[in-house]
Amino acid sequence: MSLVETSPIRSEVIPSGLRNPVMLIPGLVEPDFFLTPAAHVLRRQGIVATYSGIGMNTGRVSHDIHLAEEHLLSFSEQCCGEAVTLVGHSLGGLYARILALRHPDIVKGVVTVGSPSHHNPIESIRSFKLAGHVMMDLLGKLLHEYVDELREPVDIPEHHVYTPFDLIVNHLDHCDEGPHVHHRVLATNHFTLMLNPFILRALGNILPQNRI
């Protein structure tokens, strides 16, 4: 059985035992449906996938995280309490990590795609490019109250997908090492990472085999 849902999700209970339920979280100024190609790939793999319930990531961090948190709890309950893997693009990857810190009982892993390093998300924006200056100021305002929370360790697998051609996020900041941290490099750019067929194929391969 497979299912791709938006918010609100349907009330039917999804049978337990399905492979790795996934919630997809969009990046800044991205709507949930931006991640539809990824949802379709996961569905073909037999994975139960849902969007974040945010609708549109407008950068209202507290508001967006609250909506995503409610959706995560409902989705996990709908999946008979099965733990969920969170996949987030750009700012959505930081949302995913915050949710994992807050709900370690129902989050089994985090995949960030083109996301700033959680160790220092504001400084991981490229400061030597105009886009970097603008984005660093913006991200600083958005995430100021969450910086300390993001630096907390999580005892679940983390998989960081990034590109050296990002132009927004400094890929060198993704070289965090640890027993639960894995990395995957792709030749694409920040904005098309979640539309790139190679990342979609990577997601389809990583999640069913629980290799994150």
Side-chain angles (χ1 to χ4, degrees):
M1 179 180 179
S2 62
L3 178 68
V4 175
E5 288 288 0
T6 57
S7 180
I9 55 180
R10 291 199 295 262
S11 60
E12 294 93 340
V13 173
I14 300 170
S16 61
L18 294 171
R19 294 183 298 179
N20 218 355
V22 172
M23 189 170 93
L24 301 164
I25 308 175
L28 184 62
V29 302
E30 292 174 358
D32 271 331
F33 67 76
F34 180 76
L35 302 178
T36 296
H40 285 170
V41 168
L42 298 178
R43 179 175 59 181
R44 287 197 296 269
Q45 296 288 330
I47 295 171
V48 178
T50 187
Y51 297 117
S52 68
I54 294 173
M56 168 75 78
N57 187 336
T58 59
R60 295 180 296 169
V61 179
S62 297
H63 174 264
D64 292 345
I65 290 177
H66 174 71
L67 291 178
E69 193 168 21
E70 287 189 334
H71 194 70
L72 170 64
L73 294 170
S74 296
F75 183 50
S76 177
E77 182 178 356
Q78 188 185 17
C79 293
C80 300
E82 194 165 344
V84 178
T85 297
L86 303 177
V87 178
H89 177 230
S90 193
L91 181 60
L94 298 183
Y95 288 6
R97 201 170 194 282
I98 290 170
L99 292 173
L101 286 163
R102 294 182 180 180
H103 299 282
D105 53 326
I106 60 172
V107 176
K108 69 177 296 184
V110 169
V111 179
T112 70
V113 183
S115 298
S117 166
H118 63 267
H119 289 298
N120 200 340
I122 298 170
E123 293 298 327
S124 72
I125 301 297
R126 290 186 184 274
S127 61
F128 56 88
K129 295 181 180 292
L130 176 61
H133 284 299
V134 174
M135 290 300 296
M136 189 163 67
D137 289 343
L138 176 60
L139 200 63
K141 294 175 182 177
L142 296 178
L143 292 173
H144 176 73
E145 63 182 288
Y146 296 94
V147 170
D148 291 337
E149 185 175 6
L150 283 165
R151 290 173 179 164
E152 292 293 320
V154 293
D155 191 26
I156 57 174
E158 295 183 77
H159 193 106
H160 304 304
V161 180
Y162 61 94
T163 171
F165 308 105
D166 194 295
L167 302 181
I168 297 295
V169 174
N170 190 344
H171 71 283
L172 297 177
D173 287 338
H174 284 277
C175 297
D176 313 320
E177 296 297 338
H180 301 298
V181 178
H182 308 274
H183 305 86
R184 184 178 295 261
V185 184
L186 294 172
T188 183
N189 63 65
H190 182 83
F191 301 103
T192 61
L193 266 168
M194 287 304 293
L195 302 176
N196 187 290
F198 293 102
I199 176 57
L200 298 182
R201 187 180 305 166
L203 289 177
N205 290 334
I206 292 166
L207 296 174
Q209 299 174 38
N210 295 314
R211 283 167 46 201
I212 63 170

